Each structure stands twice: as structure tokens, then as C-alpha cells.
Amino acid sequence: MATGPVLEIKNLSKKYDDVAALHDVSFSVNKGELVVILGPSGSGKSTLLMSIAGFVKPDSGSIILNGTRINDVPPYRRNVGVVFQSMALFPNMNVFDNIAYPLKIRKMDKGEIKKRVERMLEIVGLSGLGSRRITQLSGGQQQRVAIARTLVFEPSILLLDEPLGALDRKLREEMQGEIKKIHDRVGATTLLVTHDQEEAMVMGDRILVINCGKIEQMGTPEEIYNSPKTLFVSEFIGTTNIFKGTAVKEAGKTIFKADEGFILPVAEEVKGAGYASVKAENIKLFKSRQQAGAFALEATVTQNFFSGNNIKYELDLKGVLVKVIDREPKEIFKQGQKVYLKISPEHVKWFPK
Ligand SMILES: Nc1ncnc2c1ncn2[C@@H]1O[C@H](COP(=O)(O)OP(=O)(O)O)[C@@H](O)[C@H]1O
Ligand SMILES: [Mg+2]
């Protein structure tokens, strides 16, 4: 058995007519890892997953599973498990037979099948429900059957393409926890696709951010959130304000002059045209200019959204929409109220044009 990564993707490219769905994509996945592929709709996530599963043929590059290049291996011989959003369970079979199906077509011994299916039922929390019909299960239970049916033949890697996309919010959050638990119990190396950044944050050991077929960044949720490498990642993750302007040095200090005329302090030594990125929760609001300090910015509240444990604001700062999230609200600023923004230099991320 080879050591090293379970999956290696090297310089993978794929075009549909003129559209570059994947462009020179390279990364690897370690044994037992849960890697989330995160990107907007049309960014190439499914093309990447389907290339690994063998249903899409890349134009160039290599897909290496357990040390072996599998580009020319047909899908059914790749030992890869795939779960789509549409689960395609067999409605005429009960839960047990659905999960047993991949083992039956592999002509496994009946006793062994029973043992494995019982174990899978336990792992996905459906013990005792083997004789239920698929139609008698909730959406979340059906999802778990789909995952059990895929895990039962012990694939080298589990591929999940937006498996929770069809579920409502509450069930979705529940299933995020379920899939993570199943992953931890089985230790299955997993690639999960989502366009939902919060889902990526809670589920991923690492996140691969993809945009227009190119990898923007790969890292832990903390790295992606706190140290975005590109303007795209900075904007895509969390609630982020992007200001356009110029960085200059004045009196020995670097400052950012927005095109609209306001000024932000910058900790990094940078200069030239570019963008300042500030996360919504890193902007503090005050009633008076003095409280907000030397770089206080005057703005007007245009909207406030109270949601129990935080307040979200939209402000007008010299004609620019600024989003602020107050996670420890002590007071609510009202629509039309004048407020003063405090933005610390370490919270201003700079991206050159
Ligand atoms: N079979 C296809 N034929 C032509 N274009 C395709 C096909 N599949 C995907 N695309 C295009 O490739 C790009 C990436 O698609 P896809 O991998 O499905 O993205 P995602 O899963 O991130 O939404 C999109 O621009 C999409 O329109
Ligand atoms: Mg897709």
C-alpha cells in the first residue's frame, strides 16, 4: 500500500467548446481528510468531481488514486463512491436492499453482505430501519441511506456533489453534523462540493476555493477566513466590504485613500492602485467621533437587521454601501442615525490591482 496522499490531481484542464471549466488544477487529499470544494455556480466544481469519478474526460493532466494514474480506468473500476444531490435510491427496494445493492453486484457472500449492511445502518444512525421502504423515510434519512450505500463497498474516496442542496435550512444544518460524524466514524477520505461558504467552514478539514475553473486558494477554514490570498477569496468568504482606491505613504505611515475620498489606516507596507478589504464584523460603530478614534469615519445607517444574537447594518459612507455586523450588540443604531466607524489597521487587507 502506497503511503503519500490518497488523491493527487496534477495540472488538470477541461474545456467545453470555448469554456475552460477547469484550468491547470493541482492539489492533493490526504488519507481520512474531508476536503470541501467551494465555489460559485459554474466555477467547475462538478466537472472536477466528475473527472475524478470518471464520468468526464479531462483534456490534460493526471488523476492519481493511491499512487496509480486512473485517467483511463472506467468509472466502475475506480473504487470511487459518488453521491449526487438527486440521490437516485431504488424506491421499490427497502433500506437494507438499497445499501446491499453495490455488494450484490460485486457478488459478495450473503452473510458478509448482511454484516456490512448492519454496520453501515449503525454508522449512519438507521439501525432497525432496514426493512423500511424508501418512501417511508424523511429527506434526511434518505440522504443517509444514499451515503451508506456508497460507503458500504469501502471506496478509496467518497465524492459528494452538493448532497444537501435540496434540503431545507434546518435539516441541512443537521445533516452537516451527521455527515461530519459519519466521516469521523468511518475515516473515509472525502471530497464534498458546495457553493455555500458557511457549509464549507463548518465541514472542511481543508477548503479548496475554485473560481472560473482555477484554484484561488487551498487551506484550513481559519486560513481561508483570516488570510485570504486573493481578492476573490476575501470577498467570497464571510461578509466583506471591498473599497477601491490607492495606497500611499503619508508622514511615514501607510494609508488607503478610497476613490470616494475617505481614508483607512493600513498595517502593511504597500502602495499603488488596489483594493482594501474589511470584514463586516471588524468594523466597530460609535455614537461620537471621539470614541471612534483618529481615523473615525462618519456614516449614516440605512438599514438594520436584528437577528437575535447579532445586528447587521447597512451604512452609507460617502455614497458607498458599508456592511457591518455587531456580534455583541449593546445598543441598536436606528435607520437615519449618524454613526462613526472605527476600523483598525490590522483589519484592513490590501490587494493590488
Ligand atoms: N456538458 C457540458 N457542456 C458544455 N458546458 C458545460 C458542460 N458541463 C458544464 N459546462 C460548463 O462548464 C462550467 C463549469 O460547470 P460545472 O462544473 O457544472 O460548475 P459547478 O458545478 O461549479 O456549478 C460552466 O460554465 C458550465 O456551463
Ligand atoms: Mg455543480
Side-chain angles (χ1 to χ4, degrees), residues 131 185 223:
S131 55
R185 266 176 234 148
E223 283 165 356

Side-chain angles (χ1 to χ4, degrees), residues 39-47 49-50 85 161-162 193-195:
S41 176
S43 56
K45 305 181 298 294
S46 293
T47 302
L49 224 62
M50 291 306 110
Q85 189 187 106
D161 193 351
E162 312 231 14
V193 161
T194 184
H195 62 271

Side-chain angles (χ1 to χ4, degrees), residues 172-185:
R172 201 183 160 94
E173 284 175 4
E174 228 173 87
M175 280 305 294
Q176 288 170 359
E178 274 307 315
I179 291 180
K180 221 175 146 63
K181 271 186 233 158
I182 293 167
H183 170 261
D184 291 347
R185 266 176 234 148

Side-chain angles (χ1 to χ4, degrees), residues 152-202:
V152 76
F153 66 90
E154 297 175 352
S156 299
I157 190 160
L158 176 64
L159 307 177
L160 304 164
D161 193 351
E162 312 231 14
L164 308 179
L167 307 179
D168 68 46
R169 188 192 157 89
K170 200 161 175 293
L171 188 55
R172 201 183 160 94
E173 284 175 4
E174 228 173 87
M175 280 305 294
Q176 288 170 359
E178 274 307 315
I179 291 180
K180 221 175 146 63
K181 271 186 233 158
I182 293 167
H183 170 261
D184 291 347
R185 266 176 234 148
V186 185
T189 310
T190 305
L191 264 181
L192 180 138
V193 161
T194 184
H195 62 271
D196 179 338
Q197 45 120 348
E198 282 181 38
E199 185 163 297
M201 286 287 160
V202 296

Side-chain angles (χ1 to χ4, degrees), residues 52 55 80 116 162 181 213 221 281 283 298 307 311 337:
I52 297 166
F55 301 116
V80 160
R116 286 223 201 172
E162 312 231 14
K181 271 186 233 158
E281 68 269 26
I283 300 177
E298 186 183 295
S307 71
I311 306 174
Q337 192 174 342

